[in-house]
Every structure is written in structure tokens, then in C-alpha cells.
């Protein structure tokens, strides 16, 4: 086979890039190691920044999102029994929307199929070759056969454990990482959300988050030890712990029910530089990970797609390589800002095992600063809705 761009990874970032390039007449092949059904069963966050919403519109896949999404004009933060609102609309005139990542992926797969885009599922043994030359190619095994695709460029959208980042030599690649000493225990339940907006809770018992997918599907989290096991947490124990971490006024309205999904996610900050090596470009989790506090994972991947799409379109349509040459620098500049916001918000809202009394007082003072000072709220709002590309 031959194509212009091979996209390794059939998640939302790879599919969004493929759709945007397709609309400009640029040919792609997407390689995905799992099945479509498997990809669509992944439960992920659902907060979409302004930039990603606009890209969905640009990609022509926003119709269902516009009809079914929840517009959120702000978010709520609690500490002990105090609850306050950070109103994005009032502070900066913007908002975010709630629309599940699974739904985003579903819409993008439908668009790719409608466009007859080539997607190869259940690929094994992917190897990205000669990207430091003018003739890169990708080899893999699918349907019991060894196959090869020659291409101009490779977009690595295959996540933290994928092959793309590992293709960049260790002598070129530098990685930065911070692993947090706790995880998030999350459940999905067919219950109405406890509040119209998300609630981020700081309590003496640890962090909690009240989120939602729709009117009848809620997502809740509590901070837990990394040594905890999902099977050790009954639904009853989870609901009881959640109620202890949120204000009484919220806990009294909480509707509980059996979980339909339960998992524990570790938290880490991670960045790999550079995000380009030769004709290979990294996007999303292949290059960086953020803790979920602040909902930057998918949104930061989308900003990578913006810069890469812009660069490739300029290369093919305008015969101008400046966009791809500056891709890594532009993408990383925004990535580090998102990393900072996620890191700062995680530090603000969680309990750490080594916190002193002084640390706890400072944490409380910082939350109160956010509560009572408009300048602090504006900074929070600007970062939460997404910095401009």
C-alpha cells in the first residue's frame, strides 16, 4: 500500500486528524491494534474545551454533539462544607461542554466510514521504519499476513504504551515524569447527576469529583491509595466515602445506585520531547500524560492535532514546510501550560501522605484565594476552558 500519512492509533486524536486531512484531500490510513467495538467501550472523560468543540465543527462531525451535549458555564469547588462556583461565562465569556469521549470517537468512526477512509483493525507487530529518511514506511501484521505501507509521514497517535514514542532513539528523546502517590477510584452509575455543574472537592479525607455523562448517567471519583484494589470497594463503601467528602448540602441530594463500571486509575504527569523526529510526529498520550484533574488529556491531544493538521495542510497545499518544522515547538509550548494547570489543580485539591500542618494551611489559603479573588478565578477559568491555539 501507499498513502500520504499513516496514522498509528484509532482513538479520537488519530481519527480527528484523519478526518481533518480527508477534508483537505490528503490521504490517510489508520492502524488500530484493537477492534472498533473495543475502542468504543473505553470509558474516558467527557469535558471538551472550546478549541476541541470548534475542531469537531471544522471536521463536520458536530451535529450529534450539538444536540446531545451539556453546556457548562462553570464548575464548583468545595472544601470541607464550603461550596463555591467559578463561573466561566461571567468571568471570560466562554464555556465547556460535556460530551463523552466515547461519543466523540463514535462520531469520528462514522465519518471515516462515510468517507471510505481506510482503517485496519487488529494489527500486530507495528514497526515504524526509516522516518529519518525521505521514504518512511510502516510494517505490521493483519489478517494473518505481513503488510507494508509506504508513506510521506507517520502520525503516532497510539498512546503511552504504543510503539511510536519508542521509535525515537533514546539518544534523541528526553522524558519528564512525576508520579503522584495516589489514584482515583471511579464508578459509572445510571443515576441522575447530583449537580448541574461538576464539583471538585477537597476534604480532610481526600479528593472527590462529581461528574456526569448525561441526565441519567453519572461519573464519580474518590482519591484512593495506589495499593487499593477495585474488588475491595463495594458500591456501598464507595457511596459512603463520597458522601463524607462533599458538602452536606450536596450529599443530601445524592442519588445512589449499582455501579455499571468501576476502576482505579493512577495519576501521573509525563512529557516526552521532542514530539517530532524526522517524518514521525507524536500526538496525545504518545507524547504526554496529565493527571485527570482539570480534564486536559483529550483536549491536549486535540491541540496537538490542530498544530499537526495545520502543518501538513500547509505542506501539501502550499508547499510550505514551516508548519511541520515548528510542530514540536508549538505543541510542547501549549502542552507544558496544560501540564502546569493539571499539576497545580491536583496539588490544590488532593491530600498528600507527606503534607505537614503548614502545607495544609497553605493549601486551604490557596483554595480560599480562588474562592474570593476574581483574578485567581479568571486564571482558573481561562485554563479550564482551554488556552488558545
Amino acid at each position: 500500500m501507499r498513502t500520504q500519512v499513516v496514522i498509528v492509533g484509532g482513538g479520537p486524536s488519530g481519527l480527528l486528524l484523519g478526518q481533518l486531512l480527508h477534508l483537505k484531500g490528503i490521504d490517510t490510513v489508520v492502524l488500530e491494534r484493537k477492534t472498533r467495538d473495543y475502542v468504543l467501550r473505553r470509558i474516558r472523560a467527557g469535558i471538551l474545551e472550546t478549541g476541541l468543540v470548534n475542531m469537531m465543527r471544522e471536521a463536520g462531525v458536530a451535529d450529534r454533539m450539538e444536540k446531545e451535549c451539556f453546556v457548562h458555564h462553570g464548575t464548583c469547588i468545595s472544601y470541607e462544607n464550603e461550596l463555591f462556583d467559578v463561573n466561566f461565562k461571567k468571568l471570560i465569556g466562554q464555556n465547556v461542554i460535556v460530551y463523552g469521549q466515547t461519543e466523540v470517537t463514535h462520531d469520528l468512526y462514522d465519518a471515516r466510514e462515510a468517507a471510505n477512509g481506510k482503517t485496519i483493525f487488529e494489527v500486530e507487530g507495528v514497526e515504524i521504519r526509516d522516518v529519518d529518511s525521505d521514504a518512511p514506511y510502516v510494517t505490521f501484521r493483519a489478517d494473518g499476513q505481513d503488510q507494508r505501507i509506504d508513506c510521506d509521514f507517520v502520525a503516532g497517535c497510539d498512546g503511552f504504551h504504543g510503539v511510536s514514542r519508542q521509535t525515537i532513539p533514546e539518544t534523541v528523546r528526553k522524558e519528564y515524569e512525576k508520579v503522584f502517590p495516589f489514584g482515583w477510584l471511579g464508578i459509572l452509575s445510571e443515576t441522575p447527576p447530583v449537580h448541574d455543574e461538576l464539583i471538585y472537592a477537597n476534604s480532610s479525607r481526600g479528593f472527590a469529583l462529581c461528574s456526569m455523562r448525561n441526565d441519567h448517567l453519572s461519573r464519580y471519583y474518590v482519591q484512593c491509595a495506589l495499593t487499593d484494589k477495585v474488588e475491595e470497594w463495594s458500591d456501598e463503601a464507595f457511596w459512603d466515602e463520597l458522601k463524607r467528602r462533599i458538602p452536606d448540602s450536596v450529599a443530601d441530594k445524592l442519588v445512589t445506585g449499582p455501579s455499571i463500571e468501576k476502576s482505579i486509575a493512577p495519576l501521573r504527569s509525563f512529557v516526552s520531547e521532542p514530539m517530532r523526529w524526522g517524518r514521525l510526529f507524536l500526538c496525545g498520550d504518545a507524547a504526554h500524560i496529565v493527571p485527570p484533574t482539570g480534564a486536559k488529556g483529550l483536549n491536549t491531544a486535540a491541540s496537538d492535532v490542530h498544530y499537526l493538521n495545520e502543518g501538513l495542510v500547509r505542506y501539501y497545499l502550499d508547499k510550505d514546510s514551516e508548519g511541520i518544522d515548528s510542530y514540536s515547538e508549538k505543541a510542547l509550548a501549549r502542552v507544558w501550560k496544560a501540564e502546569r494547570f493539571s499539576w497545580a489543580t491536583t496539588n490544590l485539591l488532593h491530600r498528600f501522605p507527606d503534607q505537614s500542618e503548614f502545607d495544609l494551611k497553605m493549601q486551604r489559603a490557596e483554595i480560599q484565594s480562588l474562592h474570593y479573588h476574581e483574578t485567581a478565578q479568571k486564571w482558573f477559568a481561562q485554563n479550564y476552558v482551554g488556552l488558545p491555539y
Side-chain angles (χ1 to χ4, degrees):
M1 282 182 281
R2 165 137 194 111
T3 191
Q4 290 172 298
V5 182
V6 172
I7 299 173
V8 184
S13 58
L15 294 171
L16 181 59
L17 177 63
Q19 176 67 7
L20 290 167
L21 293 176
H22 162 72
L23 293 176
K24 296 296 184 179
I26 299 168
D27 189 51
T28 64
V29 174
V30 173
L31 303 179
E32 169 53 47
R33 66 187 184 92
K34 298 292 187 179
T35 65
R36 170 179 165 150
D37 287 344
Y38 181 93
V39 175
L40 290 175
R41 286 198 303 269
R42 293 171 181 159
I43 303 296
R44 297 291 188 269
I47 301 292
L48 308 190
E49 292 179 353
T50 302
L52 176 49
V53 171
N54 290 336
M55 289 175 70
M56 292 284 283
R57 292 169 179 153
E58 180 187 348
V61 292
D63 287 352
R64 192 163 71 96
M65 178 189 74
E66 305 275 20
K67 294 173 184 175
E68 299 180 9
C69 75
F70 287 80
V71 177
H72 280 216
H73 298 299
T75 194
C76 296
I77 295 173
S78 74
Y79 54 106
E80 298 309 335
N81 232 15
E82 296 280 341
L83 180 70
F84 66 94
D85 177 51
V86 181
N87 191 314
F88 308 150
K89 194 71 174 178
K90 179 181 176 182
L91 290 162
I92 60 172
Q94 296 184 58
N95 54 256
V96 296
I97 71 167
V98 174
Y99 188 65
Q101 181 173 318
T102 299
E103 306 310 318
V104 170
T105 309
H106 199 293
D107 295 341
L108 287 165
Y109 266 129
D110 287 349
R112 186 161 186 84
E113 290 180 1
N116 293 317
K118 189 167 185 61
T119 305
I120 305 174
F121 294 98
E122 297 183 272
V123 300
E124 298 176 336
V126 173
E127 293 190 22
I128 303 168
R129 301 175 179 270
D130 290 358
V131 288
D132 56 343
S133 75
D134 292 335
Y137 64 98
V138 179
T139 61
F140 59 96
R141 188 169 182 82
D143 297 325
Q145 296 183 333
D146 293 327
Q147 302 189 42
R148 166 176 169 154
I149 309 177
D150 294 280
C151 58
D152 300 326
F153 301 101
V154 179
C157 305
D158 51 347
F160 182 78
H161 299 290
V163 69
S164 297
R165 185 177 70 257
Q166 303 303 324
T167 299
I168 301 177
E170 292 184 0
T171 54
V172 175
R173 191 174 80 238
K174 186 168 184 179
E175 298 179 350
Y176 305 83
E177 184 174 38
K178 177 178 178 58
V179 177
F180 291 91
F182 42 72
W184 278 15
L185 169 66
I187 72 166
L188 196 66
S189 63
E190 293 177 325
T191 55
V194 71
H195 198 277
D196 292 340
E197 305 283 8
L198 272 68
I199 299 175
Y200 291 87
N202 172 299
S203 84
S204 59
R205 299 182 66 86
F207 169 81
L209 172 61
C210 303
S211 183
M212 73 285 290
R213 291 293 176 268
N214 56 50
D215 280 333
H216 305 287
L217 192 62
S218 297
R219 185 76 164 156
Y220 295 102
Y221 300 90
V222 295
Q223 176 185 345
C224 67
L226 287 172
T227 53
D228 284 4
K229 306 295 183 186
V230 170
E231 52 271 19
E232 296 171 348
W233 280 88
S234 67
D235 288 353
E236 183 180 3
F238 177 89
W239 292 120
D240 181 61
E241 187 60 36
L242 177 63
K243 288 179 180 179
R244 294 183 181 191
R245 299 187 186 193
I246 57 180
D248 293 341
S249 60
V250 178
D252 290 344
K253 297 186 294 184
L254 183 68
V255 178
T256 64
S259 63
I260 58 175
E261 191 271 341
K262 189 185 296 179
S263 59
I264 294 177
L267 273 67
R268 66 153 60 91
S269 299
F270 173 86
V271 180
S272 181
E273 297 184 352
M275 289 175 60
R276 177 198 180 182
W277 183 56
R279 290 177 173 248
L280 168 65
F281 304 89
L282 303 182
C283 279
D285 288 359
H288 43 78
I289 299 286
V290 290
T293 329
K296 292 295 160 213
L298 174 60
N299 292 297
T300 308
S303 70
D304 297 343
V305 170
H306 166 81
Y307 293 121
L308 183 52
N309 173 65
E310 185 180 67
L312 290 171
V313 168
R314 286 177 63 180
Y315 177 85
Y316 282 111
L317 273 59
D318 302 329
K319 310 303 179 186
D320 178 1
S321 65
E322 193 279 331
I324 57 174
D325 292 339
S326 63
Y327 166 72
S328 182
E329 180 183 358
K330 287 181 178 178
L332 282 168
R334 194 177 187 279
V335 162
W336 277 111
K337 293 181 179 72
E339 291 279 350
R340 181 202 175 201
F341 177 70
S342 299
W343 166 81
T345 309
T346 300
N347 283 315
L348 180 71
L349 297 172
H350 291 74
R351 282 293 190 269
F352 289 75
D354 58 350
Q355 277 178 309
S356 66
E357 290 297 318
F358 178 85
D359 295 331
L360 292 171
K361 287 287 189 180
M362 292 301 293
Q363 186 183 61
R364 184 178 180 86
E366 191 166 353
I367 294 175
Q368 289 178 324
S369 177
L370 182 59
H371 186 172
Y372 294 110
H373 295 280
E374 186 175 295
T375 301
Q377 289 198 6
K378 280 186 176 179
W379 178 84
F380 185 92
Q382 288 164 348
N383 281 271
Y384 199 98
V385 304
L387 298 172
Y389 294 156

